Structures are given as structure tokens and as C-alpha cells.
Amino acid sequence: MILQYFKKKENEYKIKSDKIYLNILNKSKTLIDKKYFNEINFSISFELICILLIFYLKFLKDKDTNSKNRINEELIKNLVNDLDKSLRDVGISDMSIGKYVKKYVKKFYYRLKILDSIFDNDNYEEL
């Protein structure tokens, strides 16, 4: 009876999205370790993760649209949870954590909207 909960599709999507997000984090860490930047701070690592995540969402899509959408939703949830945890590690208090997470999520969606319109129109000169 309890085995039905372990074999649910949601768990498959979550596992796949966790692997993808971990891969994105590892790639951003590799870029940071290569010393391309003069200084490393939270904003730079956030920007790298956003760019890599947007490229994944845009270009590395699965053929099955339903599973792609579910995996993309889980990836966005992973980003928000990671933002929350990272901001808490930096020292943001519980009372103001929501404001900071909201600010960074708005930044992510703004970048996603801009890059999505550029990629859809094949207007790469704007990059």
C-alpha cells in the first residue's frame, strides 16, 4: 500500500529535476573556480546559476511536453528553495527573508522573459 507513494510520477520529476539542478550548480561552481571574475559574491553566483538554468529551460528540452513542464516547475522550486537557504546562510533574518527571495525571483523571471523573447525571435544581436 505504501509503495504506491514511492512510484508516483511526481517523485520521478523531482528526482530528475534535482539531478539537473545539482548539475547546474556544479557547472556554475566550475566557472567560479576558473577565476574568470575579480571578486566572487552572492550576486555573481546567482547570475551564473540563472543563466545556466535559463539555457537549460530554453534549449535542453525533452520531447514530452508534459514531463518537461513538470521538470521545469520542479527546477524553479529548487531555485527558490536554494535562494532561501543561501540567503539564510549569508545571514538574512527570518523576518526579511521573503523580501529578498522575492527580489531575486523577480530578477530571474525578468531575465527569463528578456532572453526568451530574444531566443524565440532568433534575434541574437541583442545579446
Side-chain angles (χ1 to χ4, degrees), residues 16-28:
K16 189 169 183 178
S17 70
D18 288 345
K19 287 179 185 178
I20 292 168
Y21 193 74
L22 187 62
N23 191 13
I24 289 170
L25 290 178
N26 288 334
K27 289 191 185 306
S28 69

Side-chain angles (χ1 to χ4, degrees), residues 112-126:
L112 181 63
K113 183 177 100 176
I114 297 297
L115 289 175
D116 197 36
S117 66
I118 290 171
F119 293 141
D120 282 344
N121 297 331
D122 293 330
N123 197 0
Y124 300 115
E125 292 84 31
E126 292 184 28

Side-chain angles (χ1 to χ4, degrees), residues 35-126:
K35 309 280 189 224
Y36 291 129
F37 307 101
N38 292 337
E39 65 179 69
I40 303 300
N41 56 23
F42 184 79
S43 295
I44 290 174
S45 61
F46 170 75
E47 296 296 337
L48 280 174
I49 291 169
C50 283
I51 289 170
L52 292 173
L53 185 58
I54 290 170
F55 280 144
Y56 173 79
L57 294 174
K58 189 63 185 164
F59 292 115
L60 303 176
K61 297 180 179 176
D62 294 333
K63 304 264 189 278
D64 182 18
T65 57
N66 187 29
S67 82
K68 173 191 64 90
N69 290 338
R70 299 289 296 270
I71 291 171
N72 290 348
E73 287 175 15
E74 291 294 329
L75 282 170
I76 301 298
K77 286 180 189 176
N78 284 342
L79 175 70
V80 172
N81 291 337
D82 189 33
L83 275 172
D84 185 76
K85 182 186 177 308
S86 298
L87 288 171
R88 287 179 193 275
D89 290 344
V90 170
I92 306 289
S93 68
D94 287 342
M95 295 300 289
S96 60
I97 193 81
K99 177 175 66 172
Y100 285 96
V101 171
K102 182 179 177 182
K103 180 177 89 170
Y104 280 106
V105 170
K106 280 185 176 182
K107 283 182 180 184
F108 172 76
Y109 278 115
Y110 175 75
R111 284 159 181 75
L112 181 63
K113 183 177 100 176
I114 297 297
L115 289 175
D116 197 36
S117 66
I118 290 171
F119 293 141
D120 282 344
N121 297 331
D122 293 330
N123 197 0
Y124 300 115
E125 292 84 31
E126 292 184 28

